[in-house]
């Protein structure tokens, strides 16, 4: 993981540029085409650019460890936990992939996300230790306003809009109903 997000961004741009050029040269060399035939073989160049963009996104994603470090420190201090920065980094990556407009839609429609992702939750639960389950239980037993305060502070630490959306008062019923469903699913409560 790259600690500094600026360095991660610079490395991602360099990865994209170098990857695009190198992959284009490798593809054309492997297929026996001269580089002067690029205009006639644009799909190969496009493929090289796509692969380079993927590689650059992977490099840049490692730069969010600065965000994970702040979130880990905050959660450990606030909740008295001993969370691993790598686990928090993975959780933040999952949050980043859920667009805030989708979360707003869940709130508006009061969607039961636990029911929607039940199979995934059950599969993931099998990988959790007893310590992990105790941490989850401790968190979901907190009053919703307290959880929303933590979400608001996580927003301040990470600048992830998804946390701010969940910290809004209109998200309270959604959080409350989904926590009840999660308690039933994980702890038969």
């Amino acid at each position: 993981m790259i600690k500094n997000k600026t360095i991660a961004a610079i490395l991602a741009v360099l990865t994209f540029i170098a990857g695009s050029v190198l992959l284009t040269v490798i593809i054309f060399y492997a297929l026996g085409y001269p580089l002067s035939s690029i205009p006639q073989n644009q799909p190969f160049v496009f493929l090289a650019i796509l692969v380079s963009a993927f590689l650059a996104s992977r490099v840049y994603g490692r730069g969010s460890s600065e965000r994970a470090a702040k979130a880990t420190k905050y959660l450990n201090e606030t909740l008295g936990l001993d969370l691993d920065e790598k686990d928090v980094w993975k959780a933040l990556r999952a949050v980043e992939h859920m667009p805030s407009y989708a979360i707003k839609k869940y709130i508006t429609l009061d969607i039961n996300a636990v029911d929607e992702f039940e199979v995934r939750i059950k599969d993931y639960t099998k990988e959790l230790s007893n310590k992990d389950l105790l941490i989850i239980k401790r968190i979901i037993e907190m009053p919703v306003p307290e959880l929303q305060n933590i979400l608001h502070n996580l927003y301040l630490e990470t600048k992830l809009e998804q946390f701010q959306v969940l910290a809004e008062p209109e998200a309270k019923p959604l959080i409350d109903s989904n926590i009840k469903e999660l308690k039933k699913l994980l702890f038969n409560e």
Side-chain angles (χ1 to χ4, degrees):
M1 291 190 286
I2 302 167
K3 295 286 183 194
N4 187 310
K5 196 161 185 152
T6 305
I7 292 172
I10 292 168
L11 289 174
V13 169
L14 293 174
T15 300
F16 177 73
I17 293 168
S20 296
V21 171
L22 286 173
L23 286 171
T24 300
V25 169
I26 290 169
I27 290 170
F28 276 71
Y29 178 77
L31 296 175
Y33 294 134
L35 289 177
S36 59
S37 69
I38 286 178
Q40 294 86 7
N41 296 297
Q42 289 179 1
F44 297 122
V45 176
F46 183 68
L47 175 66
I49 289 171
L50 280 178
V51 171
S52 297
F54 171 75
L55 292 173
S57 73
R58 301 293 295 174
V59 168
Y60 182 71
R62 297 187 180 282
S64 64
S65 71
E66 181 180 345
R67 188 182 277 170
K70 288 180 179 180
T72 304
K73 182 179 180 208
Y74 169 74
L75 290 170
N76 285 339
E77 288 174 359
T78 304
L79 301 174
L81 299 173
D82 185 28
L83 298 173
D84 182 61
E85 187 177 315
K86 189 174 181 180
D87 292 333
V88 174
W89 180 80
K90 288 178 187 176
L92 290 177
R93 294 290 290 166
V95 169
E96 286 175 330
H97 290 294
M98 182 73 158
S100 54
Y101 70 84
I103 295 172
K104 289 176 183 176
K105 195 62 133 177
Y106 272 66
I107 292 168
T108 304
L109 300 174
D110 195 26
I111 294 174
N112 183 342
V114 174
D115 189 43
E116 193 172 316
F117 296 104
E118 182 176 351
V119 173
R120 280 188 185 163
I121 292 169
K122 283 182 178 178
D123 288 343
Y124 184 71
T125 305
K126 293 173 189 174
E127 299 173 17
L128 298 176
S129 68
N130 286 336
K131 178 187 170 193
D132 296 332
L133 288 170
L134 286 173
I135 291 171
I136 291 169
K137 186 170 184 137
R138 181 173 169 203
I139 292 170
I140 64 176
E141 287 182 346
M142 294 174 73
V144 174
E146 196 175 326
L147 274 175
Q148 287 188 293
N149 185 46
I150 289 170
L151 289 166
H152 175 72
N153 289 328
L154 278 172
Y155 165 71
L156 296 175
E157 292 290 335
T158 64
K159 302 300 182 215
L160 286 174
E161 187 182 344
Q162 293 88 332
F163 289 132
Q164 182 61 30
V165 170
L166 289 168
E168 297 294 327
E170 52 271 0
K172 186 182 182 305
L174 176 82
I175 294 171
D176 193 41
S177 64
N178 278 275
I179 284 177
K180 287 176 185 171
E181 291 296 320
L182 197 56
K183 284 179 181 178
K184 282 184 211 173
L185 182 65
L186 296 178
F187 306 109
N188 298 318
E189 291 181 12

